[in-house]
Amino acid sequence: MAQNNQPDTVALSAAQLMARGLLNNLMNPKALLFFSLFLPQFTVSSQAITPQILVLGILLSITALAFNTLVSLSFSKLGKSLATQANIQRHLDGFLGVIFLGLASRLAFDR
């Protein structure tokens, strides 16, 4: 009798996944540092800073969401079309192998 060494997985709802993603992003010190250094340079000092930062943050988040959605949908479609063509997959694997060999050789011979 074989034992399954993989941990049990639990299916999460879309709301739970969104909440985890939001918590993850709010706890990310790099993102907080980026927002605290990047957004203030686009504010006007004669007006209240907090609403300006809030609006700029929302605009940046919406733009990033739209861009990331576009990229993920595009690559999802590309991945599905390439997955059905085994010949192209073999060539892509070879191409990636050549790239990795080139990077490894550069790393090996770099002073």
Side-chain angles (χ1 to χ4, degrees):
M1 184 162 90
Q3 290 187 0
N4 187 1
N5 292 332
Q6 295 181 354
D8 293 335
T9 58
V10 177
L12 299 175
S13 70
Q16 290 172 321
L17 291 173
M18 291 294 288
R20 282 191 180 188
L22 178 65
L23 182 64
N24 185 30
N25 284 329
L26 289 175
M27 303 285 285
N28 185 356
K30 293 178 288 187
L32 293 174
L33 184 63
F34 172 77
F35 280 112
S36 66
L37 295 175
F38 179 71
L39 293 180
Q41 63 186 329
F42 300 106
T43 60
V44 179
S45 60
S46 63
Q47 299 174 3
I49 299 291
T50 304
Q52 293 180 66
I53 298 263
L54 186 62
V55 168
L56 289 171
I58 289 170
L59 287 173
L60 183 62
S61 296
I62 289 170
T63 304
L65 176 67
F67 179 76
N68 289 334
T69 301
L70 178 69
V71 168
S72 64
L73 290 175
S74 299
F75 279 103
S76 175
K77 284 196 176 275
L78 179 66
K80 285 178 184 176
S81 67
L82 290 179
T84 60
Q85 300 174 3
N87 194 23
I88 290 177
Q89 184 67 33
R90 192 178 74 230
H91 290 300
L92 281 176
D93 287 344
F95 179 68
L96 286 174
V98 168
I99 288 175
F100 285 134
L101 284 174
L103 290 172
S105 64
R106 180 176 178 219
L107 203 75
F109 296 113
D110 197 22
R111 290 181 190 218

XYZ file of all heavy atoms in Angstrom:
842
model
N 0.837 -1.164 0.000
C 0.000 0.000 0.000
C 0.894 1.245 0.000
O 1.705 1.450 0.882
C -0.887 -0.017 1.245
C -1.859 1.114 1.277
S -3.206 0.812 2.422
C -2.558 1.493 3.915
N 0.761 2.092 -1.042
C 1.579 3.294 -1.185
C 0.966 4.436 -0.381
O -0.245 4.591 -0.330
C 1.682 3.688 -2.646
N 1.835 5.201 0.231
C 1.362 6.341 0.995
C 1.526 7.603 0.166
O 2.502 7.760 -0.567
C 2.150 6.484 2.286
C 1.839 5.397 3.277
C 2.526 5.675 4.602
O 3.210 6.663 4.758
N 2.334 4.783 5.558
N 0.583 8.487 0.285
C 0.617 9.753 -0.414
C 1.363 10.753 0.457
O 0.929 11.083 1.547
C -0.810 10.227 -0.710
C -0.832 11.461 -1.574
O 0.208 11.963 -1.983
N -2.016 11.946 -1.840
N 2.516 11.235 -0.024
C 3.334 12.163 0.752
C 2.955 13.619 0.522
O 3.549 14.503 1.102
C 4.812 11.969 0.435
C 5.319 10.635 0.946
O 4.794 10.110 1.924
N 6.320 10.090 0.302
N 1.993 13.876 -0.352
C 1.600 15.247 -0.635
C 0.629 15.731 0.427
O -0.229 14.987 0.901
C 0.963 15.354 -2.013
C 1.934 15.032 -3.131
C 1.282 15.173 -4.490
O 0.094 15.393 -4.585
N 2.081 15.035 -5.520
N 0.755 17.018 0.801
C -0.166 17.544 1.812
C -1.567 17.687 1.240
O -1.753 17.826 0.041
C 0.419 18.912 2.163
C 1.224 19.287 0.969
C 1.719 17.996 0.375
N -2.535 17.640 2.132
C -3.923 17.828 1.708
C -4.118 19.269 1.266
O -3.614 20.205 1.887
C -4.884 17.504 2.848
C -4.852 16.034 3.213
O -4.498 15.222 2.337
O -5.176 15.710 4.365
N -4.840 19.459 0.176
C -5.123 20.806 -0.307
C -6.579 21.134 -0.057
O -7.434 20.257 -0.038
C -4.822 20.932 -1.811
O -5.605 19.983 -2.515
C -3.353 20.698 -2.092
N -6.831 22.394 0.153
C -8.178 22.868 0.421
C -8.537 23.865 -0.671
O -7.771 24.777 -0.962
C -8.256 23.553 1.805
C -9.637 24.104 2.059
C -7.856 22.576 2.897
N -9.694 23.672 -1.281
C -10.151 24.611 -2.296
C -10.653 25.874 -1.615
O -11.432 25.823 -0.675
C -11.257 23.982 -3.127
N -10.161 27.023 -2.099
C -10.569 28.302 -1.541
C -11.477 29.016 -2.526
O -11.328 28.885 -3.740
C -9.349 29.169 -1.243
C -8.342 28.618 -0.239
C -7.132 29.531 -0.134
C -8.993 28.465 1.120
N -12.382 29.795 -1.980
C -13.272 30.569 -2.841
C -12.513 31.761 -3.431
O -11.419 32.106 -2.981
C -14.477 31.059 -2.042
O -14.069 32.046 -1.119
N -13.113 32.395 -4.414
C -12.485 33.559 -5.035
C -12.304 34.680 -4.012
O -11.277 35.367 -4.010
C -13.314 34.030 -6.217
N -13.267 34.857 -3.125
C -13.165 35.903 -2.107
C -12.013 35.620 -1.142
O -11.283 36.528 -0.751
C -14.472 36.023 -1.342
N -11.838 34.351 -0.768
C -10.740 33.995 0.128
C -9.389 34.208 -0.556
O -8.440 34.683 0.070
C -10.870 32.552 0.582
C -12.024 32.315 1.535
C -12.254 30.846 1.812
O -12.148 30.009 0.909
N -12.576 30.519 3.057
N -9.311 33.867 -1.840
C -8.066 34.085 -2.573
C -7.749 35.572 -2.704
O -6.598 35.989 -2.560
C -8.160 33.438 -3.956
C -8.177 31.915 -3.985
C -8.449 31.411 -5.392
C -6.871 31.355 -3.455
N -8.775 36.382 -2.960
C -8.572 37.828 -3.056
C -8.130 38.403 -1.713
O -7.251 39.260 -1.652
C -9.851 38.509 -3.534
C -10.207 38.221 -4.973
S -9.044 38.882 -6.146
C -9.414 40.613 -6.029
N -8.732 37.930 -0.630
C -8.358 38.415 0.700
C -6.915 38.047 1.025
O -6.164 38.870 1.570
C -9.305 37.838 1.755
N -6.503 36.847 0.677
C -5.110 36.444 0.912
C -4.152 37.282 0.077
O -3.089 37.679 0.543
C -4.919 34.966 0.586
C -5.422 34.059 1.654
C -4.979 32.646 1.409
N -5.490 31.784 2.460
C -5.145 30.527 2.596
N -4.318 29.963 1.743
N -5.644 29.799 3.574
N -4.517 37.533 -1.180
C -3.676 38.364 -2.040
C -3.565 39.784 -1.528
O -2.485 40.377 -1.533
N -4.681 40.344 -1.062
C -4.676 41.698 -0.513
C -3.805 41.762 0.738
O -2.977 42.668 0.887
C -6.106 42.133 -0.186
C -6.242 43.517 0.433
C -5.798 44.594 -0.541
C -7.666 43.757 0.882
N -3.965 40.800 1.636
C -3.156 40.764 2.846
C -1.674 40.613 2.501
O -0.816 41.282 3.095
C -3.613 39.617 3.755
C -2.877 39.493 5.081
C -3.123 40.726 5.945
C -3.316 38.241 5.816
N -1.366 39.784 1.527
C 0.014 39.590 1.102
C 0.604 40.895 0.577
O 1.735 41.258 0.911
C 0.078 38.503 0.019
C 1.490 38.182 -0.380
O 2.410 38.282 0.405
N 1.654 37.794 -1.633
N -0.147 41.621 -0.233
C 0.358 42.876 -0.778
C 0.476 43.961 0.283
O 1.388 44.782 0.237
C -0.532 43.356 -1.926
C -0.274 42.568 -3.184
O 0.838 42.118 -3.420
N -1.302 42.394 -3.991
N -0.453 43.985 1.235
C -0.375 44.988 2.297
C 0.801 44.736 3.238
O 1.308 45.665 3.854
C -1.684 45.019 3.088
C -2.882 45.601 2.344
C -4.143 45.464 3.184
C -2.646 47.056 1.969
N 1.213 43.488 3.355
C 2.324 43.145 4.238
C 3.674 43.170 3.522
O 4.695 42.871 4.125
C 2.098 41.751 4.838
C 0.797 41.592 5.592
S 0.825 42.377 7.171
C 1.823 41.253 8.082
N 3.687 43.554 2.248
C 4.911 43.559 1.454
C 5.675 44.856 1.705
O 5.258 45.921 1.260
C 4.549 43.421 -0.030
C 5.766 43.307 -0.911
O 6.900 43.406 -0.458
N 5.525 43.093 -2.179
N 6.816 44.801 2.378
C 7.549 46.043 2.681
C 8.088 46.733 1.433
O 8.194 47.949 1.400
C 8.672 45.589 3.605
C 8.806 44.132 3.383
C 7.466 43.634 2.942
N 8.425 45.965 0.398
C 8.937 46.598 -0.831
C 7.862 47.441 -1.492
O 8.133 48.548 -1.960
C 9.451 45.533 -1.809
C 10.691 44.801 -1.325
C 11.104 43.759 -2.306
C 10.082 42.654 -2.217
N 10.344 41.474 -2.957
N 6.649 46.943 -1.537
C 5.561 47.698 -2.147
C 5.248 48.938 -1.325
O 5.020 50.023 -1.880
C 4.323 46.823 -2.287
N 5.235 48.810 -0.009
C 4.974 49.962 0.847
C 6.056 51.022 0.679
O 5.769 52.220 0.609
C 4.871 49.524 2.310
C 3.675 48.644 2.657
C 3.764 48.154 4.093
C 2.384 49.395 2.426
N 7.309 50.597 0.600
C 8.410 51.530 0.391
C 8.296 52.203 -0.973
O 8.485 53.415 -1.100
C 9.747 50.795 0.522
C 10.998 51.647 0.421
C 11.046 52.647 1.567
C 12.229 50.761 0.442
N 7.943 51.432 -2.005
C 7.784 51.995 -3.340
C 6.698 53.062 -3.352
O 6.904 54.171 -3.859
C 7.448 50.883 -4.351
C 7.094 51.408 -5.696
C 8.073 51.850 -6.569
C 5.766 51.464 -6.100
C 7.739 52.345 -7.820
C 5.421 51.955 -7.345
C 6.421 52.392 -8.210
N 5.536 52.734 -2.803
C 4.437 53.697 -2.791
C 4.789 54.932 -1.971
O 4.455 56.049 -2.340
C 3.148 53.067 -2.259
C 2.427 52.250 -3.282
C 2.339 50.874 -3.156
C 1.843 52.853 -4.381
C 1.683 50.117 -4.107
C 1.174 52.111 -5.343
C 1.100 50.740 -5.203
N 5.469 54.749 -0.848
C 5.781 55.897 0.000
C 6.842 56.801 -0.614
O 6.919 57.977 -0.278
C 6.223 55.429 1.387
O 7.453 54.738 1.301
N 7.660 56.273 -1.536
C 8.679 57.095 -2.184
C 8.278 57.577 -3.571
O 8.710 58.642 -4.005
C 9.995 56.308 -2.285
C 10.660 55.953 -0.961
C 11.873 55.078 -1.201
C 11.043 57.206 -0.204
N 7.452 56.831 -4.259
C 7.116 57.153 -5.645
C 5.951 58.125 -5.755
O 6.018 59.113 -6.499
C 6.803 55.848 -6.401
C 6.425 56.050 -7.824
C 7.364 56.446 -8.761
C 5.126 55.832 -8.247
C 7.020 56.633 -10.083
C 4.766 56.020 -9.568
C 5.726 56.421 -10.495
N 4.877 57.880 -5.037
C 3.669 58.682 -5.206
C 3.765 60.123 -4.716
O 3.196 61.015 -5.348
C 2.484 57.974 -4.547
C 2.053 56.661 -5.209
C 0.882 56.066 -4.469
C 1.722 56.859 -6.667
N 4.471 60.423 -3.615
C 4.490 61.814 -3.146
C 5.065 62.820 -4.147
O 4.720 63.996 -4.095
C 5.345 61.762 -1.886
C 5.187 60.389 -1.383
C 5.087 59.537 -2.623
N 5.887 62.389 -5.051
C 6.466 63.342 -5.999
C 5.436 63.855 -7.002
O 5.709 64.819 -7.718
C 7.663 62.733 -6.712
C 7.348 61.536 -7.561
C 8.603 60.908 -8.127
O 9.579 61.593 -8.374
N 8.575 59.602 -8.333
N 4.267 63.264 -7.053
C 3.212 63.696 -7.961
C 2.091 64.441 -7.244
O 1.017 64.624 -7.785
C 2.627 62.494 -8.716
C 3.654 61.778 -9.539
C 4.152 60.557 -9.133
C 4.142 62.335 -10.710
C 5.111 59.903 -9.878
C 5.101 61.692 -11.458
C 5.584 60.468 -11.046
N 2.345 64.858 -6.027
C 1.331 65.583 -5.265
C 1.614 67.081 -5.289
O 2.725 67.513 -5.590
C 1.309 65.103 -3.800
O 2.592 65.331 -3.229
C 0.933 63.639 -3.704
N 0.598 67.849 -4.947
C 0.710 69.304 -4.859
C 0.703 69.663 -3.381
O -0.196 69.258 -2.639
C -0.473 69.973 -5.590
C -0.382 71.482 -5.490
C -0.525 69.529 -7.035
N 1.694 70.432 -2.951
C 1.823 70.720 -1.518
C 0.770 71.701 -1.009
O 0.568 71.804 0.196
C 3.223 71.242 -1.212
O 3.452 72.442 -1.943
N 0.101 72.413 -1.898
C -0.901 73.385 -1.453
C -2.227 72.725 -1.092
O -3.124 73.376 -0.571
C -1.121 74.437 -2.535
O -1.646 73.833 -3.706
N -2.385 71.435 -1.362
C -3.614 70.712 -1.051
C -3.302 69.592 -0.063
O -2.148 69.273 0.184
C -4.218 70.127 -2.334
C -4.599 71.166 -3.357
C -5.050 70.520 -4.673
O -5.119 69.313 -4.789
N -5.356 71.350 -5.650
N -4.361 68.984 0.469
C -4.184 67.872 1.414
C -3.508 66.692 0.708
O -3.898 66.305 -0.389
C -5.524 67.450 1.984
N -2.498 66.156 1.333
C -1.674 65.106 0.714
C -2.378 63.748 0.719
O -2.309 63.000 -0.258
C -0.315 65.000 1.451
C 0.441 66.319 1.357
C 0.521 63.860 0.920
C 0.948 66.664 -0.008
N -3.062 63.404 1.796
C -3.664 62.075 1.933
C -4.637 61.737 0.806
O -4.519 60.656 0.208
C -4.331 61.929 3.307
O -3.362 62.203 4.320
C -4.884 60.537 3.491
N -5.593 62.595 0.459
C -6.488 62.243 -0.651
C -5.764 62.123 -1.983
O -6.103 61.275 -2.806
C -7.495 63.396 -0.696
C -7.367 64.125 0.579
C -6.018 63.839 1.115
N -4.747 62.946 -2.164
C -3.980 62.865 -3.413
C -3.266 61.516 -3.526
O -3.288 60.878 -4.572
C -2.946 63.990 -3.478
C -3.535 65.370 -3.602
C -2.436 66.403 -3.650
O -1.669 66.427 -4.604
N -2.356 67.231 -2.618
N -2.633 61.105 -2.449
C -1.920 59.817 -2.437
C -2.907 58.673 -2.636
O -2.630 57.710 -3.349
C -1.148 59.631 -1.113
C -0.098 60.706 -0.974
C -0.563 58.237 -1.000
C 1.292 60.378 -1.370
N -4.072 58.780 -2.007
C -5.092 57.745 -2.142
C -5.556 57.619 -3.596
O -5.633 56.511 -4.142
C -6.271 58.042 -1.216
C -7.355 56.976 -1.128
C -6.780 55.692 -0.572
C -8.492 57.462 -0.260
N -5.833 58.731 -4.240
C -6.271 58.710 -5.641
C -5.163 58.171 -6.540
O -5.407 57.330 -7.418
C -6.712 60.126 -6.094
C -6.882 60.194 -7.597
C -7.996 60.523 -5.388
N -3.924 58.630 -6.325
C -2.812 58.138 -7.133
C -2.589 56.636 -6.929
O -2.310 55.899 -7.879
C -1.538 58.914 -6.801
C -1.495 60.362 -7.275
C -0.279 61.069 -6.697
C -1.487 60.429 -8.791
N -2.710 56.168 -5.688
C -2.556 54.742 -5.406
C -3.632 53.905 -6.081
O -3.357 52.837 -6.623
N -4.873 54.406 -6.048
C -5.969 53.685 -6.702
C -5.755 53.642 -8.214
O -5.935 52.601 -8.848
C -7.324 54.318 -6.327
C -7.645 54.025 -4.864
C -8.443 53.811 -7.223
C -8.833 54.790 -4.320
N -5.343 54.778 -8.792
C -5.078 54.808 -10.238
C -3.949 53.856 -10.618
O -4.029 53.138 -11.612
C -4.738 56.229 -10.690
C -5.895 57.218 -10.734
C -5.386 58.624 -11.033
C -6.908 56.789 -11.781
N -2.886 53.852 -9.813
C -1.775 52.944 -10.084
C -2.210 51.489 -9.946
O -1.848 50.642 -10.774
C -0.615 53.249 -9.146
C 0.658 52.445 -9.351
C 1.244 52.709 -10.734
C 1.669 52.770 -8.283
N -3.023 51.196 -8.961
C -3.500 49.822 -8.759
C -4.404 49.369 -9.899
O -4.300 48.230 -10.370
C -4.239 49.705 -7.434
O -3.363 49.948 -6.372
N -5.284 50.242 -10.358
C -6.176 49.899 -11.472
C -5.372 49.673 -12.747
O -5.624 48.713 -13.492
C -7.247 50.988 -11.656
C -8.239 50.943 -10.502
C -7.975 50.835 -12.987
C -9.198 52.120 -10.466
N -4.388 50.533 -12.985
C -3.539 50.377 -14.166
C -2.758 49.063 -14.098
O -2.675 48.332 -15.093
C -2.572 51.566 -14.287
O -3.318 52.771 -14.304
C -1.728 51.467 -15.540
N -2.190 48.763 -12.946
C -1.436 47.514 -12.787
C -2.347 46.301 -12.946
O -1.960 45.307 -13.572
C -0.750 47.486 -11.425
N -3.560 46.375 -12.408
C -4.512 45.275 -12.555
C -4.860 45.050 -14.020
O -4.871 43.912 -14.499
C -5.766 45.541 -11.743
C -6.885 44.508 -11.890
C -6.456 43.172 -11.306
C -8.160 44.993 -11.237
N -5.138 46.132 -14.739
C -5.485 46.002 -16.157
C -4.319 45.420 -16.950
O -4.500 44.518 -17.777
C -5.888 47.360 -16.719
N -3.115 45.909 -16.700
C -1.943 45.413 -17.422
C -1.669 43.949 -17.093
O -1.435 43.131 -17.994
C -0.714 46.263 -17.092
C 0.526 45.795 -17.782
C 0.724 46.048 -19.128
C 1.490 45.084 -17.086
C 1.859 45.605 -19.764
C 2.627 44.643 -17.713
C 2.824 44.902 -19.061
N -1.697 43.600 -15.810
C -1.441 42.211 -15.416
C -2.505 41.263 -15.949
O -2.202 40.124 -16.317
C -1.326 42.095 -13.902
C -0.057 42.718 -13.382
O 0.936 42.818 -14.093
N -0.089 43.159 -12.144
N -3.756 41.720 -15.994
C -4.823 40.899 -16.560
C -4.586 40.667 -18.047
O -4.721 39.544 -18.535
C -6.193 41.566 -16.332
O -6.385 41.735 -14.926
C -7.318 40.738 -16.907
N -4.226 41.726 -18.765
C -3.944 41.607 -20.189
C -2.786 40.645 -20.451
O -2.878 39.763 -21.308
C -3.634 42.984 -20.778
C -3.273 43.024 -22.252
C -4.489 42.681 -23.099
C -2.739 44.394 -22.621
N -1.713 40.783 -19.693
C -0.557 39.905 -19.874
C -0.908 38.463 -19.533
O -0.563 37.532 -20.275
C 0.626 40.399 -19.017
C 1.736 39.369 -18.953
C 1.162 41.707 -19.570
N -1.624 38.241 -18.436
C -1.943 36.862 -18.038
C -2.892 36.202 -19.029
O -2.730 35.024 -19.356
C -2.517 36.825 -16.628
O -3.742 37.511 -16.575
N -3.878 36.940 -19.536
C -4.784 36.358 -20.525
C -4.053 36.063 -21.836
O -4.283 35.032 -22.459
C -5.972 37.289 -20.770
C -6.969 37.414 -19.628
C -8.031 38.459 -19.957
C -7.603 36.085 -19.300
N -3.167 36.961 -22.231
C -2.409 36.749 -23.464
C -1.525 35.508 -23.370
O -1.516 34.667 -24.268
C -1.547 37.976 -23.781
O -2.337 39.107 -23.967
N -0.783 35.402 -22.270
C 0.100 34.249 -22.129
C -0.676 32.963 -21.869
O -0.201 31.875 -22.200
C 1.153 34.496 -21.053
C 2.307 35.316 -21.553
C 2.415 36.651 -21.228
C 3.261 34.761 -22.376
C 3.457 37.417 -21.706
C 4.310 35.509 -22.859
C 4.414 36.841 -22.521
N -1.846 33.061 -21.284
C -2.687 31.885 -21.106
C -3.119 31.337 -22.465
O -3.041 30.131 -22.715
C -3.902 32.235 -20.267
O -4.777 31.142 -20.186
N -3.557 32.237 -23.345
C -3.951 31.806 -24.692
C -2.749 31.263 -25.458
O -2.847 30.246 -26.135
C -4.587 32.956 -25.461
C -5.987 33.263 -25.038
C -6.665 34.123 -26.088
C -8.094 34.350 -25.726
N -8.977 33.301 -26.149
N -1.605 31.937 -25.344
C -0.392 31.476 -26.020
C 0.023 30.102 -25.501
O 0.378 29.214 -26.279
C 0.736 32.484 -25.818
C 2.077 32.134 -26.450
C 1.973 32.137 -27.973
C 3.141 33.100 -25.985
N -0.045 29.919 -24.176
C 0.318 28.635 -23.589
C -0.594 27.513 -24.030
O -0.146 26.400 -24.309
N -1.901 27.804 -24.123
C -2.845 26.777 -24.568
C -2.600 26.398 -26.021
O -2.683 25.230 -26.386
C -4.279 27.266 -24.390
C -4.741 27.263 -22.958
C -6.154 27.790 -22.828
C -6.569 27.860 -21.382
N -7.908 28.451 -21.205
N -2.296 27.390 -26.853
C -2.057 27.072 -28.267
C -0.741 26.331 -28.446
O -0.633 25.446 -29.299
C -2.083 28.342 -29.119
O -1.001 29.179 -28.804
N 0.271 26.668 -27.650
C 1.552 25.969 -27.765
C 1.492 24.571 -27.164
O 2.217 23.682 -27.595
C 2.661 26.781 -27.091
C 3.063 28.078 -27.785
C 4.143 28.783 -26.981
C 3.520 27.837 -29.198
N 0.643 24.378 -26.172
C 0.535 23.064 -25.534
C -0.042 22.036 -26.489
O 0.258 20.843 -26.378
C -0.317 23.149 -24.280
N -0.855 22.478 -27.432
C -1.453 21.527 -28.370
C -0.503 21.155 -29.494
O -0.744 20.188 -30.197
C -2.742 22.115 -28.976
O -2.429 23.325 -29.664
C -3.771 22.376 -27.897
N 0.560 21.904 -29.655
C 1.512 21.634 -30.730
C 2.814 21.121 -30.120
O 3.674 21.890 -29.704
C 1.752 22.899 -31.543
C 0.487 23.441 -32.171
C 0.706 24.772 -32.842
O 1.809 25.281 -32.896
N -0.361 25.336 -33.367
N 2.990 19.815 -30.102
C 4.151 19.188 -29.457
C 5.444 19.564 -30.164
O 6.488 19.695 -29.527
C 3.984 17.679 -29.429
N 5.405 19.756 -31.480
C 6.608 20.096 -32.223
C 7.154 21.453 -31.777
O 8.360 21.610 -31.566
C 6.302 20.108 -33.725
C 7.557 20.107 -34.566
O 8.614 19.691 -34.103
N 7.442 20.583 -35.780
N 6.281 22.422 -31.617
C 6.715 23.739 -31.165
C 7.233 23.656 -29.738
O 8.224 24.304 -29.396
C 5.563 24.760 -31.286
C 5.281 25.044 -32.757
C 5.879 26.041 -30.550
C 4.124 25.981 -33.002
N 6.585 22.847 -28.914
C 7.035 22.690 -27.531
C 8.453 22.139 -27.488
O 9.271 22.586 -26.695
C 6.074 21.767 -26.772
C 6.400 21.615 -25.310
C 6.211 22.899 -24.536
O 5.337 23.685 -24.842
N 7.039 23.113 -23.540
N 8.766 21.193 -28.352
C 10.114 20.626 -28.397
C 11.131 21.687 -28.798
O 12.215 21.779 -28.234
C 10.156 19.436 -29.351
C 11.438 18.626 -29.221
C 11.468 17.425 -30.129
N 11.693 17.887 -31.490
C 10.966 17.531 -32.546
N 9.970 16.698 -32.388
N 11.243 17.982 -33.743
N 10.777 22.521 -29.776
C 11.686 23.581 -30.209
C 11.867 24.633 -29.114
O 12.973 25.150 -28.928
C 11.174 24.244 -31.490
C 11.265 23.360 -32.692
N 12.459 22.860 -33.150
C 10.319 22.890 -33.529
C 12.257 22.125 -34.220
N 10.945 22.124 -34.476
N 10.789 24.966 -28.397
C 10.908 25.923 -27.295
C 11.799 25.377 -26.186
O 12.601 26.109 -25.613
C 9.531 26.256 -26.740
C 8.717 27.262 -27.534
C 7.327 27.423 -26.927
C 9.403 28.604 -27.582
N 11.667 24.091 -25.888
C 12.528 23.482 -24.877
C 13.992 23.551 -25.305
O 14.875 23.850 -24.500
C 12.121 22.031 -24.627
C 10.826 21.910 -23.848
O 10.409 22.917 -23.245
O 10.230 20.819 -23.862
N 14.261 23.287 -26.572
C 15.623 23.380 -27.084
C 16.144 24.805 -27.031
O 17.301 25.053 -26.661
N 15.304 25.764 -27.411
C 15.693 27.174 -27.381
C 16.018 27.618 -25.959
O 17.031 28.285 -25.716
C 14.571 28.020 -27.981
C 14.850 29.491 -27.986
C 15.841 30.022 -28.791
C 14.113 30.344 -27.174
C 16.102 31.386 -28.793
C 14.363 31.700 -27.166
C 15.365 32.221 -27.982
N 15.167 27.245 -25.004
C 15.437 27.581 -23.610
C 16.705 26.895 -23.103
O 17.462 27.471 -22.327
C 14.245 27.205 -22.736
C 13.026 28.112 -22.860
C 11.866 27.556 -22.056
C 13.353 29.512 -22.419
N 16.950 25.670 -23.559
C 18.175 24.971 -23.186
C 19.403 25.707 -23.664
O 20.392 25.848 -22.933
N 19.369 26.204 -24.907
C 20.498 26.959 -25.451
C 20.705 28.250 -24.654
O 21.836 28.633 -24.343
C 20.275 27.261 -26.950
C 21.273 28.267 -27.470
C 20.347 25.977 -27.756
N 19.608 28.929 -24.310
C 19.718 30.165 -23.521
C 20.353 29.872 -22.164
O 21.277 30.570 -21.729
C 18.341 30.828 -23.342
C 17.897 31.443 -24.666
C 18.382 31.900 -22.251
C 16.509 32.027 -24.631
N 19.895 28.814 -21.500
C 20.455 28.485 -20.195
C 21.913 28.055 -20.292
O 22.716 28.376 -19.415
C 19.619 27.412 -19.494
C 18.324 27.924 -18.942
C 17.150 27.228 -19.137
C 18.268 29.098 -18.229
C 15.952 27.704 -18.636
C 17.079 29.582 -17.714
C 15.923 28.880 -17.920
N 22.282 27.334 -21.350
C 23.692 26.971 -21.531
C 24.541 28.214 -21.758
O 25.658 28.322 -21.252
C 23.836 25.998 -22.700
C 23.407 24.564 -22.434
C 23.466 23.734 -23.718
C 24.296 23.938 -21.377
N 24.024 29.159 -22.531
C 24.752 30.404 -22.748
C 24.937 31.188 -21.462
O 26.021 31.722 -21.187
N 23.879 31.277 -20.660
C 23.988 31.970 -19.375
C 24.955 31.260 -18.433
O 25.731 31.917 -17.733
C 22.610 32.096 -18.734
C 21.640 33.054 -19.420
C 20.251 32.929 -18.801
C 22.140 34.483 -19.317
N 24.915 29.927 -18.444
C 25.826 29.173 -17.573
C 27.266 29.351 -18.009
O 28.170 29.511 -17.172
C 25.451 27.697 -17.597
N 27.512 29.353 -19.323
C 28.883 29.550 -19.794
C 29.375 30.966 -19.501
O 30.530 31.171 -19.157
C 29.006 29.232 -21.284
O 28.235 30.140 -22.046
N 28.496 31.936 -19.629
C 28.879 33.315 -19.298
C 29.232 33.423 -17.825
O 30.187 34.086 -17.436
C 27.756 34.278 -19.647
C 28.099 35.702 -19.333
C 27.030 36.664 -19.754
N 27.406 38.000 -19.370
C 26.586 38.911 -18.912
N 25.304 38.627 -18.779
N 27.005 40.081 -18.578
N 28.447 32.764 -16.987
C 28.692 32.778 -15.550
C 30.011 32.067 -15.234
O 30.775 32.522 -14.372
C 27.536 32.095 -14.827
C 27.328 32.448 -13.379
C 26.709 33.840 -13.298
C 26.409 31.445 -12.725
N 30.284 30.981 -15.946
C 31.496 30.206 -15.674
C 32.759 30.948 -16.092
O 33.794 30.846 -15.447
C 31.413 28.862 -16.386
N 32.690 31.692 -17.188
C 33.873 32.341 -17.718
C 33.960 33.829 -17.390
O 34.883 34.504 -17.812
C 33.952 32.144 -19.233
C 34.124 30.695 -19.610
C 33.105 30.038 -20.268
C 35.263 29.994 -19.265
C 33.227 28.703 -20.628
C 35.385 28.656 -19.620
C 34.390 28.017 -20.284
N 33.012 34.346 -16.634
C 33.039 35.750 -16.245
C 34.070 35.962 -15.160
O 34.223 35.148 -14.269
C 31.652 36.173 -15.763
C 31.489 37.688 -15.726
O 32.237 38.362 -16.427
O 30.602 38.153 -15.003
N 34.778 37.049 -15.255
C 35.828 37.308 -14.250
C 35.234 37.972 -13.070
O 34.887 38.870 -12.713
C 36.917 38.154 -14.859
C 37.695 37.380 -15.872
C 38.769 38.247 -16.440
N 39.351 37.549 -17.568
C 40.603 37.563 -17.847
N 41.433 38.248 -17.123
N 41.066 36.932 -18.888
